[in-house]
Amino acid sequence: MALNIQGIVINEILANPVEEKIKGGNKGFDTDGSGKVRGRDEFVELANTTGSDIDVSGWTISNGSGEFTFPEGTTIAAGEAVTIVGNYKGTPPAGFFEGLPKLRNNGDAVVLSDGSKNIGAVFNGGGNLKDVPDGTAVEDFGNIPRGQSAQRSDDGDITVGEPNPECFLTGTLVQTADGEKRVEDLQIGDLVQTLGGQPERIKWIGCQTLGQEGLHPFRAYPVQIKAGALGNQLPARDLYVSPDHAILVEGVLANAGALINGTSIVQIKPEAETFNYYHIELERHALLLAEGVPAESFIPQNVEGRDKFDNVEEFAALYPEGDALSYMPMSFPRVSSQRQLPRSIAQHLEQIALEVCPQVAQVA
């Protein structure tokens, strides 16, 4: 069972947002959507695992670098989460705070305290544990790769840096310069339409075949976004993507898995024993249009990022000198979990669901 204080758990840690330095900036996780990946995009997420709202006024998160204190009147709603970021460019939206003490990437421990009880989380070896108060129960979040986070799954386990698919399921229609094409029919060199209207050339198309045996369903089974579920008649048809594929929804780049509401957006078990995901890697990182919905083109998270694809050797043959991808940071806040999704967006999607799935309204 996860360590907790009144049902509040340390749910996710992003220790080092910068996966690698590239020309013109950094590649990694842009927490605040500033358009630049910075070291202070690091964050700690706390989640309320109870059925009641919890007042965390005066609670602290600390390490050897300093301490963050929740302002008076701060409440974490039942089943929701809050994210404490190192530094947030602009005004933090609801559920986000800034001022997290700088995390030590070569090993650190963070401590959550309500003033009478402490729990801690260590990562990357833990660093100097002298900063952890005596008697503090500590949970190991493991080694956290650069640009990735350690996240608590629904069963309470910590998963770190797993190569999760970020792709389109077979049959997805992608808008190209010559009209819509099924993702499996696209070719290297084809021009696809992007959100900004600028066509971008396909650099590579990766195919990943998954068998149901041994899969973690939550992390691998496709998410079905039913036609019209996002509003404005989008998607135009049912859209099927992997849980970690980011799509643009009401100004935020949200992983599809974070949008699941059980009615208009659901996770499905494929009927076949094996199924295929396809990724589209462009010459310039962008938002392409899948069933009319802006969806992020693929970008490998590390040098081994393409190894999970069946045709990885094709990429090596085509580009023997390595990767020359132009990575364009996305100027949108990112949402990786349901708890991070702004409540206003979740509520709007639920309202749309009553129109998309009228049987839900009848049952209610």
Side-chain angles (χ1 to χ4, degrees):
M1 182 177 179
L3 297 177
N4 71 90
I5 301 177
Q6 300 180 41
I8 303 296
V9 302
I10 300 174
N11 197 56
E12 185 174 3
I13 298 175
L14 176 66
N16 188 351
V18 180
E19 197 271 318
E20 67 174 314
K21 295 184 180 298
I22 59 175
K23 184 177 180 181
N26 297 318
K27 170 184 165 185
F29 195 89
D30 180 15
T31 302
D32 58 6
S34 66
K36 295 182 178 180
V37 177
R38 303 168 297 117
R40 292 297 277 155
D41 277 317
E42 61 195 349
F43 68 77
V44 171
E45 180 188 89
L46 306 180
N48 181 352
T49 62
T50 76
S52 303
D53 296 352
I54 302 295
D55 187 346
V56 295
S57 302
W59 289 32
T60 61
I61 295 178
S62 62
N63 66 357
S65 301
E67 181 177 272
F68 167 83
T69 302
F70 282 101
E72 190 66 30
T74 303
T75 298
I76 305 180
E80 299 293 328
V82 296
T83 303
I84 305 91
V85 185
N87 177 258
Y88 200 100
K89 292 290 186 181
T91 303
F96 283 78
F97 299 85
E98 66 175 339
L100 180 73
K102 183 173 177 57
L103 301 180
R104 292 169 292 194
N105 304 319
N106 60 346
D108 205 349
V110 294
V111 176
L112 173 66
S113 176
D114 68 352
S116 59
K117 179 181 178 180
N118 303 324
I119 59 172
V122 299
F123 57 89
N124 294 352
N128 193 341
L129 296 181
K130 69 178 180 62
D131 301 316
V132 177
D134 292 341
T136 300
V138 174
E139 193 170 9
D140 190 355
F141 272 56
N143 292 317
I144 307 177
R146 294 168 60 95
Q148 299 184 37
S149 68
Q151 305 176 30
R152 192 180 303 279
S153 62
D154 286 353
D155 58 12
D157 293 337
I158 303 298
T159 57
V160 181
E162 293 185 356
N164 302 314
E166 302 173 13
C167 315
F168 302 104
L169 196 64
T170 303
T172 301
L173 292 181
V174 176
Q175 187 68 44
T176 75
D178 298 319
E180 290 184 318
K181 290 185 179 181
R182 294 184 303 177
V183 65
E184 64 269 29
D185 293 335
L186 293 172
Q187 301 291 325
I188 294 173
D190 284 352
L191 290 173
V192 299
Q193 202 67 30
T194 64
L195 177 62
Q198 176 71 27
E200 293 292 345
R201 194 172 302 279
I202 295 177
K203 178 178 181 177
W204 187 59
I205 302 169
C207 178
Q208 183 179 18
T209 302
L210 297 179
Q212 295 199 30
E213 184 177 355
L215 279 183
H216 191 307
F218 178 76
R219 305 187 76 87
Y221 281 178
V223 174
Q224 177 191 18
I225 304 174
K226 297 180 182 179
L230 303 179
N232 298 320
Q233 300 182 327
L234 292 176
R237 302 190 318 157
D238 289 1
L239 172 62
Y240 297 87
V241 295
S242 58
D244 282 347
H245 200 125
I247 63 175
L248 185 64
V249 180
E250 299 187 22
V252 302
L253 268 180
N255 287 5
L259 303 175
I260 293 173
N261 58 20
T263 53
S264 60
I265 304 174
V266 296
Q267 194 159 29
I268 63 168
K269 179 180 180 179
E271 295 181 1
E273 286 299 314
T274 62
F275 55 99
N276 294 325
Y277 280 126
Y278 292 85
H279 96 184
I280 302 174
E281 187 169 341
L282 305 177
E283 293 287 355
R284 288 166 53 89
H285 181 223
L287 293 176
L288 50 84
L289 302 177
E291 307 292 358
V293 175
E296 190 172 20
S297 64
F298 176 81
I299 185 168
Q301 294 301 307
N302 49 52
V303 294
E304 294 84 18
R306 299 183 187 86
D307 289 353
K308 59 191 175 185
F309 292 97
D310 304 344
N311 56 335
V312 61
E313 293 182 358
E314 177 189 49
F315 183 90
L318 289 170
Y319 306 102
E321 296 183 1
D323 192 2
L325 176 67
S326 176
Y327 175 68
M328 301 296 292
M330 297 291 178
S331 57
F332 305 101
R334 288 186 178 269
V335 171
S336 61
S337 68
Q338 288 181 319
R339 293 189 177 99
Q340 289 180 330
L341 186 68
R343 181 170 291 187
S344 60
I345 295 179
Q347 290 175 339
H348 188 210
L349 294 180
E350 289 174 0
Q351 292 174 352
I352 297 171
L354 297 179
E355 301 175 6
V356 174
C357 304
Q359 67 274 17
V360 175
Q362 294 173 3
V363 173

